[in-house]
Amino acid sequence: MDKRLIIIDGNSIINRAFYALPEMNNKEGLKTNAIYGFTTMLFKIIDIYKPTHISVAFDRKAPTFRHLEFKEYKAGRKKMPDDLGVQFEPLKELLDKFNIHRLEIDGFEADDIIGTVSKIAEENDYKVYIVTGDKDAIQLASNKTTTLITKKGVGEVEEYDFNSVMEKYEMTPTQFIDLKGLMGDKSDNIPGVPGIGEKTGIKLIKEFSSIENIIENIDSLKGSVKKKLEENKELAVMSKRLATIIRDVPIEINLEELEYGDFDKDAVIESFRNLGFTSLLSRLVELDGGNIVNEEIELNISKLENIQEFINESKNQKKLILKTVKKEGNILEKNIMYMYISIDGKNIYYINEDEILKLETILSSNEVEKIGYNLKDDYLALRPYDIKLENMRFDITIAEYLIDSTSSTSYECSDISMKYLTRKMKSKEELLGKGVKAKKYEDLELEELSEYIGKVINVVATVYERMEKNIIETNMDSLLYDIEMPLVEVLGEMEYEGVKVDIEKLNELGAQFKEKILTLEKEIYELSGEPFNINSPKQLGVILFERLELPVIKKTKTGYSTNAEVLDKLRDKHPIIDKITEYRQIVKLNSTYVDGMLSIINPISNRIHSSFNQTITTTGRISSTEPNLQNIPVRLELGRNIRKVFISDDKCKLVDADYSQVELRVLAHMSGDENMIDAFKHNEDIHTKTASQVFDVEIENVTSELRGAAKAVNFGIVYGKSDFGLADDLNISVKQAKEYIDSYFSKYSKIKEFMDTTIENASKDGYVTTLANRRRYIPEIKSSNFMERNRGKRFAMNAPIQGSAADIIKIAMVNVYKKLEENDLKSKLILQVHDELIVEAVEEEIDIVKKIVKEEMENAVSMDVHLDVDLNVGDSWYETK
DNA sequence: GCTATCACG
DNA sequence: ACGTACGTGATAGCC
């Protein structure tokens, strides 16, 4: 068999990769762009040239003979950036795992090693490929050696062998050395002959073929060229020597050791995971013809014939992996097409909708653990059948969210499959298509559907124990099993229950808004002198800043900024501004909150069934979509009216409970700051207390301005705000803002300490944690970019506080839900807005509901600071203030 | 599909 | 000196 050797100039390629690719980090913040670029290049080369042998040569730090001969050699080169330097060792480790040979020898550059090894390989009848970004290596090209020079970063290569060099440059590869001897090389600081550049150099080489021959025939030259050469003969000879790649470095090399082939696949996969190269995992599969897929999966998927036998087995094993498939439709209606179930993940059965009830005994059994992927969907699918899916034990989506809440993927099964199993499977989008042409499950043939869902079930079965191990190792098992998994049912019930809407009231508000919008529109057109689309920031910008010539306050990437802040600064300048502000406000209310809500009211229940998502936010909060019920207006009275349409059902009231200052209490507890803890212990108004401390006045002398300033400081601290930002907010000087912050930290000194330690830990560990041990990785904190690193610090300061508050209310939700159930109450938890819970309580239960909610919320966790909950009852959300 | 804006905690 | 507050989702305009 033909032997093909690839020799890579490690330093050259890692450099190219580093400068060609944007910054990349793994989740601990290690820079990885150069490693990534190198690896993709390696894969590409292996794929194209199918080498039997590979070696990567690296420079050593020790000086080479070139430095010793010419002390200016490579002088003036910039020091390697740290962000690149740190990537060498991980790359070398990765190459070792690929079983790819490495060559490093003191006193010789990678070039010389490559020159020598390629020569030996040529003599042994190898076909040689040299990969580098450095054109000097073209001198090594021959009939047996092809030099591959990278182009466009490291994405492509250009081939040079003897013939192509002759064709392209009309000189032999070795004559390139003579040319460089004449021209010199800026990057290596090789002098060459001063005054002789590329054009003259090429002419001379073509005529005389070498520097030696030029010197011998120097008399046949004339003019300035002759003079330059006569004066710099020695320089030319030395430059040629410096430019000559050595091909007889004294090394003992056994080419057999360079053989490429088997490597420890698990080790490489592990490395890729650590480096965060999930996309490369799939390349690994292609690279090795699919052999890297560890487990050959063969699934038996069939219709379940003997239901009783399966039930018995499931009860025996106390385990059930399941995935329901439903048609698109109303959340309140029966829409299941099939349910796929399995115990071992390999023998997978499906049943039709009409037989689902037969499985109720295991589905609603507390003895059988349910393991799945997006279990809330299964819970909700079964809900209209009056089947309660009980003991939802493990959801791989939620587990993966806990493992890495900052992951850029959305925890798709296909992503999880690739990450944990190095196994490719279709994503849902690949299965169904996207956009308007997207198919639905009901459009698929049963066979195709079964193949896909079968794989999902198998991934769940194969992956969940590995995830569990990871979660236990990172002390998140209680977070998963005691908080997040029990919460699945709570959120499912909230979605199913929904919130009642007063449709008439909503329409009435809409009519009012629309009328007002028309009036404002007319007034604005009159003031501007022409009609335009007020909703277009671009058109509005032209009107304000060109036609009306108002001063430009701020610019956006694309033009003038016209946001509320800018408009506020312009309001004295022109009467149109206030009209536009009001117009914007009402348009927002009308389109988002009136039309938006109307379009999504469930026709069966006349209620709004929002989705509560558990795996979106990086901090641990829940998010709400379709519609978002967590941003219903409250601050301004006009918008607050929207809350009048969210009402309680007949013979019910809304019980609204919200935590008072939960984030500041968390901060007081986590930092252990006695001063702040004390303020909460004495039920003092925290902002007044802060004002009194920071501005050094008696409590009774704190004015509302001072309190307002203190409030801004308190919130700013939670977000890691700067003096600059605070100054902007409070309209004071940066110097003054700095004094406020300094004074704050001197009074609440443990808070300062806490912030510093948190940042330190984040830098050291790469992550921060909450009270319930929820993790957030912060790769930004290791960035070499000032701004990015500062963002990382702010994330580090904020995530434990916001995340712990999220932990607390999640615990409260689970406990409130449990208590309502235990007491056989009909009242239902229906909403959560980060620090607020709303229960729709039937009238006879209001007192006990209030008691339960207050107790469970206030006692969700035990801290050095007590939690305090405000309760309000009303017929609408508006009334519960 | 991106950008600007604005609603909430 | 750098640029400057965390976390979300919906809508409209525009390319």
Side-chain angles (χ1 to χ4, degrees):
Chain A
M1 187 188 124
D2 290 345
K3 292 176 179 174
R4 288 179 304 280
L5 167 66
I6 285 182
I7 316 174
I8 298 172
D9 184 337
N11 288 70
S12 169
I13 299 299
I14 199 174
N15 255 288
R16 291 268 159 159
F18 177 76
Y19 288 106
L21 294 173
E23 194 176 301
M24 291 168 65
N25 298 299
N26 75 350
K27 59 182 181 165
E28 279 95 19
L30 172 72
K31 299 283 174 268
T32 56
N33 63 331
I35 306 174
Y36 182 83
F38 191 107
T39 312
T40 50
M41 189 279 316
L42 178 67
F43 278 13
K44 191 159 198 161
I45 295 294
I46 290 174
D47 189 41
I48 298 173
Y49 297 98
K50 312 263 187 275
T52 54
H53 296 65
I54 305 182
S55 182
V56 182
F58 285 100
D59 293 333
R60 277 272 170 90
K61 281 191 184 121
T64 68
F65 77 93
R66 291 188 183 81
H67 296 95
L68 299 175
E69 175 164 346
F70 179 57
K71 64 179 190 321
E72 298 299 314
Y73 179 68
K74 288 194 174 177
R77 280 214 173 171
K78 276 193 195 144
K79 194 184 164 288
M80 180 187 298
D82 287 345
D83 284 354
L84 173 55
V86 296
Q87 299 190 54
F88 274 81
E89 270 318 302
L91 174 64
K92 289 179 184 177
E93 281 167 26
L94 182 63
L95 291 172
D96 290 347
K97 289 185 181 160
F98 269 112
N99 242 339
I100 287 177
H101 186 267
R102 288 196 281 123
L103 272 168
E104 295 172 66
I105 301 169
D106 278 343
F108 294 95
E109 293 182 51
D111 271 353
D112 302 319
I113 303 170
I114 292 170
T116 303
V117 174
S118 62
K119 185 166 172 237
I120 296 171
E122 282 190 6
E123 287 161 4
N124 284 281
D125 255 347
Y126 280 70
K127 174 83 185 104
V128 181
Y129 298 92
I130 293 164
V131 186
T132 178
D134 184 352
K135 287 201 162 185
D136 285 351
I138 292 177
Q139 64 180 271
L140 299 175
S142 70
N143 289 329
K144 289 182 172 175
T145 295
T146 305
T147 302
L148 305 171
I149 306 288
T150 53
K151 295 195 303 188
K152 296 187 182 170
V154 288
E156 286 176 29
V157 291
E158 196 161 5
E159 296 186 1
Y160 295 88
D161 59 15
F162 188 87
N163 289 333
S164 66
V165 171
M166 283 303 288
E167 244 168 67
K168 204 166 170 186
Y169 298 100
E170 293 177 50
M171 52 172 104
T172 66
T174 47
Q175 283 175 333
F176 264 80
I177 311 172
D178 296 273
L179 178 61
K180 194 167 165 182
L182 294 174
M183 285 167 53
D185 181 340
K186 266 227 171 91
S187 72
D188 288 346
N189 207 29
I190 293 176
V193 178
I196 297 206
E198 191 174 354
K199 277 198 177 151
T200 321
I202 290 174
K203 221 176 96 190
L204 287 168
I205 298 297
K206 274 188 192 161
E207 191 175 343
F208 297 100
S209 90
S210 73
I211 285 184
E212 291 75 15
N213 211 27
I214 295 172
I215 293 170
E216 213 159 282
N217 297 293
I218 204 153
D219 292 336
S220 66
L221 292 165
K222 52 192 169 191
S224 70
V225 174
K226 180 178 181 185
K227 189 163 171 254
K228 283 175 196 161
L229 282 164
E230 271 179 334
E231 283 171 7
N232 295 294
K233 269 188 223 167
E234 290 78 18
L235 215 47
V237 173
M238 184 195 74
S239 293
K240 177 173 176 179
R241 193 160 56 241
L242 289 175
T244 305
I245 293 174
I246 308 290
R247 306 204 68 174
D248 54 1
V249 171
I251 44 173
E252 291 286 318
I253 184 144
N254 176 3
L255 291 176
E256 290 313 307
E257 285 173 14
L258 275 52
E259 197 167 341
Y260 168 71
D262 280 341
F263 55 84
D264 184 348
K265 287 156 192 164
D266 288 338
V268 172
I269 288 166
E270 181 70 24
S271 289
F272 277 9
R273 276 189 198 126
N274 287 337
L275 291 164
F277 294 171
T278 34
S279 69
L280 286 187
L281 286 170
S282 59
R283 300 279 298 277
L284 209 52
V285 176
E286 291 160 17
L287 179 74
D288 213 322
N291 290 332
I292 279 172
V293 179
N294 332 19
E295 306 104 306
E296 203 43 42
I297 54 161
E298 236 175 76
L299 304 178
N300 300 312
I301 307 173
S302 60
K303 187 160 190 308
L304 183 59
E305 302 297 349
N306 195 335
I307 295 183
Q308 197 50 50
E309 193 188 354
F310 183 90
I311 289 173
N312 292 341
E313 180 63 10
S314 181
K315 278 186 171 165
N316 258 333
Q317 303 283 325
K318 300 191 188 324
K319 182 169 144 185
L320 177 71
I321 300 159
L322 79 158
K323 179 88 196 139
T324 44
V325 176
K326 61 178 171 181
K327 300 190 286 263
E328 279 189 9
N330 196 307
I331 183 177
L332 300 170
E333 290 185 309
K334 298 177 176 176
N335 282 311
I336 294 181
M337 295 160 61
Y338 306 100
M339 175 179 270
Y340 288 78
I341 49 179
S342 179
I343 293 163
D344 58 10
K346 291 206 167 69
N347 296 295
I348 296 160
Y349 304 96
Y350 63 86
I351 54 167
N352 295 326
E353 182 189 24
D354 52 13
E355 292 188 312
I356 280 174
L357 281 173
K358 294 184 187 161
L359 284 180
E360 185 169 5
T361 163
I362 47 173
L363 292 173
S364 44
S365 160
N366 237 317
E367 303 298 310
V368 180
E369 293 181 342
K370 314 305 182 307
I371 298 155
Y373 165 65
N374 292 337
L375 279 168
K376 187 170 60 138
D377 291 350
D378 301 295
Y379 182 88
L380 284 168
L382 288 162
R383 191 63 177 72
Y385 299 80
D386 273 321
I387 298 175
K388 271 289 252 337
L389 188 62
E390 294 279 4
N391 197 354
M392 291 185 270
R393 170 70 180 173
F394 202 101
D395 184 319
I396 63 167
T397 316
I398 292 174
E400 186 56 18
Y401 169 68
L402 294 188
I403 288 166
D404 185 8
S405 69
T406 55
S407 159
S408 51
T409 69
S410 52
Y411 314 108
E412 261 259 349
C413 190
S414 57
D415 297 327
I416 290 174
S417 169
M418 189 48 74
K419 176 173 168 187
Y420 286 86
L421 306 174
T422 330
R423 188 194 295 161
K424 264 194 171 175
M425 70 172 276
K426 279 184 185 168
S427 66
K428 199 172 168 188
E429 191 180 292
E430 283 164 341
L431 178 76
L432 299 174
K434 62 171 175 176
V436 279
K437 279 189 275 179
K439 285 192 248 177
K440 300 169 184 161
Y441 281 134
E442 50 265 46
D443 303 327
L444 297 182
E445 296 293 332
L446 177 58
E447 199 178 331
E448 194 182 5
L449 182 66
S450 291
E451 191 190 320
Y452 175 76
I453 304 291
K455 281 181 180 161
V456 172
I457 294 233
N458 182 264
V459 168
V460 172
T462 319
V463 137
Y464 86 93
E465 280 170 326
R466 302 186 200 185
M467 288 183 164
E468 183 180 45
K469 186 165 163 272
N470 184 331
I471 282 185
I472 291 171
E473 279 167 0
T474 50
N475 293 318
M476 290 195 288
D477 43 327
S478 173
L479 173 61
L480 178 66
Y481 294 125
D482 301 334
I483 303 177
E484 299 293 350
M485 288 313 301
L487 192 65
V488 174
E489 177 177 336
V490 180
L491 297 178
E493 279 300 307
M494 284 165 59
E495 290 184 22
Y496 193 75
E497 201 60 30
V499 190
K500 188 169 181 182
V501 177
D502 185 339
I503 300 177
E504 253 174 65
K505 179 83 197 163
L506 193 54
N507 280 317
E508 200 181 295
L509 275 173
Q512 281 174 29
F513 289 151
K514 284 173 183 86
E515 198 188 314
K516 187 73 189 158
I517 288 169
L518 283 176
T519 316
L520 283 165
E521 207 174 71
K522 275 192 199 123
E523 292 174 339
I524 289 169
Y525 294 159
E526 230 153 80
L527 286 165
S528 68
E530 62 177 297
F532 65 100
N533 189 343
I534 312 168
N535 294 318
S536 161
K538 199 176 158 190
Q539 294 184 36
L540 179 61
V542 172
I543 295 289
L544 295 183
F545 304 112
E546 291 175 20
R547 195 180 165 93
L548 301 178
E549 295 181 326
L550 295 171
V552 177
I553 307 283
K554 206 168 81 177
K555 289 212 151 205
T556 65
K557 271 188 274 190
T558 52
Y560 309 110
S561 171
T562 66
N563 69 20
E565 206 185 320
V566 169
L567 294 183
D568 190 56
K569 287 180 177 146
L570 292 171
R571 51 184 306 214
D572 295 336
K573 303 260 191 302
H574 200 286
I576 199 172
I577 300 296
D578 280 344
K579 297 289 177 196
I580 289 168
T581 306
E582 199 185 351
Y583 175 90
R584 277 243 177 103
Q585 203 184 71
I586 298 174
V587 163
K588 173 87 177 179
L589 292 175
N590 189 55
S591 58
T592 305
Y593 298 104
V594 177
D595 295 345
M597 293 301 154
L598 281 171
S599 70
I600 211 163
I601 292 170
N602 191 302
I604 297 174
S605 59
N606 274 342
R607 294 168 75 99
I608 285 180
H609 304 263
S610 170
S611 299
F612 292 98
N613 201 311
Q614 212 174 339
T615 58
I616 297 285
T617 70
T618 51
T619 53
R621 276 189 178 176
I622 289 165
S623 91
S624 156
T625 52
E626 288 179 294
N628 181 357
L629 291 182
Q630 291 179 323
N631 70 346
I632 305 300
V634 67
R635 288 170 193 167
L636 301 173
E637 183 55 30
L638 186 68
R640 196 171 191 148
N641 282 304
I642 298 284
R643 295 192 169 218
K644 289 177 178 162
V645 311
F646 295 99
I647 56 175
S648 50
D649 205 350
D650 298 341
K651 296 181 182 159
C652 290
K653 297 266 185 200
L654 296 181
V655 173
D656 185 314
D658 71 295
Y659 279 118
S660 149
Q661 308 295 358
V662 62
E663 291 195 349
L664 285 175
R665 286 172 200 261
V666 164
L667 175 60
H669 168 77
M670 289 183 97
S671 65
D673 187 280
E674 299 87 355
N675 202 351
M676 189 172 275
I677 292 174
D678 208 53
F680 282 120
K681 273 206 175 128
H682 294 95
N683 285 321
E684 291 177 77
D685 178 303
I686 189 65
H687 303 313
T688 306
K689 164 87 174 186
T690 300
S692 136
Q693 301 246 333
V694 171
F695 307 121
D696 202 21
V697 294
E698 297 297 319
I699 291 274
E700 47 285 6
N701 294 334
V702 172
T703 61
S704 65
E705 282 76 25
L706 285 182
R707 185 181 181 276
K711 187 174 174 182
V713 179
N714 267 327
F715 280 105
I717 296 298
V718 172
Y719 303 138
K721 198 174 193 169
S722 66
D723 47 10
F724 182 94
L726 185 67
D728 195 48
D729 261 17
L730 294 176
N731 244 322
I732 54 175
S733 70
V734 176
K735 185 166 167 274
Q736 186 131 56
K738 188 173 180 331
E739 281 169 17
Y740 285 10
I741 293 172
D742 288 346
S743 169
Y744 185 98
F745 279 139
S746 76
K747 292 289 162 29
Y748 298 121
S749 57
K750 288 255 183 86
I751 292 181
K752 172 72 176 149
E753 263 175 54
F754 172 72
M755 293 299 183
D756 291 344
T757 342
T758 305
I759 289 170
E760 233 173 81
N761 288 338
S763 313
K764 179 162 56 76
D765 306 329
Y767 63 87
V768 292
T769 54
T770 65
L771 288 180
N773 249 331
R774 185 188 304 280
R775 242 175 222 222
R776 172 175 177 173
Y777 286 95
I778 305 177
E780 294 85 353
I781 208 158
K782 289 187 184 162
S783 172
S784 51
N785 177 300
F786 174 86
M787 208 173 77
E788 193 67 4
R789 199 166 55 249
N790 277 349
R791 278 185 69 213
K793 288 181 186 175
R794 294 196 296 270
F795 293 159
M797 291 187 271
N798 175 258
I801 304 170
Q802 188 181 121
S804 296
D807 295 343
I808 291 171
I809 196 159
K810 282 178 167 178
I811 295 168
M813 290 168 78
V814 168
N815 292 345
V816 165
Y817 180 87
K818 247 191 255 166
K819 271 279 156 61
L820 293 176
E821 210 176 37
E822 278 168 19
N823 286 282
D824 278 330
L825 299 178
K826 296 189 195 72
S827 305
K828 288 278 204 168
L829 183 58
I830 56 171
L831 282 175
Q832 188 254 40
V833 193
H834 311 308
D835 64 355
E836 172 186 13
L837 293 182
I838 298 182
V839 175
E840 186 177 53
V842 297
E843 274 162 2
E844 319 76 270
E845 297 175 359
I846 287 174
D847 289 336
I848 181 159
V849 165
K850 282 166 77 174
K851 185 165 167 275
I852 288 173
V853 171
K854 192 168 168 72
E855 254 180 41
E856 296 307 327
M857 284 177 77
E858 290 185 347
N859 299 311
V861 292
S862 150
M863 300 194 297
D864 295 340
V865 176
H866 69 280
L867 289 166
D868 188 34
V869 166
D870 286 330
L871 276 177
N872 289 290
V873 181
D875 288 315
S876 74
W877 201 356
Y878 181 89
E879 287 176 23
T880 61
K881 60 178 175 183

